[in-house]
Amino acid sequence: EAQVTQNPRYLITVTGKKLTVTCSQNMNHEYMSWYRQDPGLGLRQIYYSMNVEVTDKGDVPEGYKVSRKEKRNFPLILESPSPNQTSLYFCASSFRGESSYEQYFGPGTRLTVT
Amino acid sequence: AQSVTQLDSHVSVSEGTPVLLRCNYSSSYSPSLFWYVQHPNKGLQLLLKYTSAATLVKGINGFEAEFKKSETSFHLTKPSAHMSDAAEYFCVVSDRPGRRALTFGSGTRLQVQP
């Protein structure tokens, strides 16, 4: 089954404790992206990757890091989480050549930082 | 720059009556436009997409949307609401070649009354 998976689905952590949210897709997509969803703001892009070893900032990159060492994986790293990073996070992927820009979303990771 | 405005944060309809969710967009290029749906505690599912072909786009579950360039609108409609349509709906625009970012509206929560 074609899908984007994220782990963990739910995470409660404390300020300053480094964490990683994993994202994996099995569709051989070149493009992958991270979004955060906050009430009343829709989804905002954090980082994106056009291919292996190619990443760039989105609209809200502060406090986040990413890496793209393999085509299927695109982990999101919070080196020192803060309460304002409490949010619902979505990973997405698509083919690079897809002119329609349709993206496939993972199920989401709900993060709470206390 | 691209932006999306969803004109209603909440819409309530009775089962069996028509649904209209309004969306206006702003874009510097020829945009691709999407409607995504998010059911409670679920990920995002693509309902339909416009990519410069037919201006009337049909999607899943009986939804359709019409692209009106002169009005910069992309309203979502359905002739007859079903209880299972209760969810949050996001209008999305993408027009930045290369970056592939999706810009989301703030969402419209659809309630369906029995």
Side-chain angles (χ1 to χ4, degrees), chain A residues 25-44:
Chain A
Q25 50 91 8
N26 62 1
M27 295 169 279
N28 204 34
H29 287 165
E30 295 90 356
Y31 177 88
M32 298 185 74
S33 181
W34 277 103
Y35 295 86
R36 60 177 289 173
Q37 181 181 19
D38 301 292
L41 297 177
L43 277 74
R44 294 175 292 168

Side-chain angles (χ1 to χ4, degrees), chain A residues 37 50 95-96 100-102, chain B residues 34 38 49 94 98 100:
Chain A
Q37 181 181 19
M50 298 298 286
F95 284 115
R96 185 174 175 179
S100 68
Y101 295 1
E102 176 184 346
Chain B
F34 309 83
Q38 185 179 29
K49 61 185 178 185
S94 179
R100 277 266 161 140

Side-chain angles (χ1 to χ4, degrees), chain B residues 5-7 9 15 21-22 27-29 32 34 36 38-40 45 49 57-58 60 83 91 95 101-102 104 109 112:
Chain B
T5 303
Q6 291 184 243
L7 298 166
S9 59
E15 191 174 21
L21 305 183
R22 299 181 295 165
S27 172
S28 303
Y29 304 94
S32 294
F34 309 83
Y36 281 84
Q38 185 179 29
H39 287 93
Q45 180 184 19
K49 61 185 178 185
V57 181
K58 294 189 184 300
I60 61 172
M83 294 297 290
C91 183
D95 72 349
L102 299 180
F104 282 73
R109 184 163 297 280
V112 182

Side-chain angles (χ1 to χ4, degrees), chain B residues 77-89:
Chain B
T77 60
K78 183 174 180 178
S80 176
H82 191 273
M83 294 297 290
S84 61
D85 294 329
E88 186 144 25
Y89 292 79

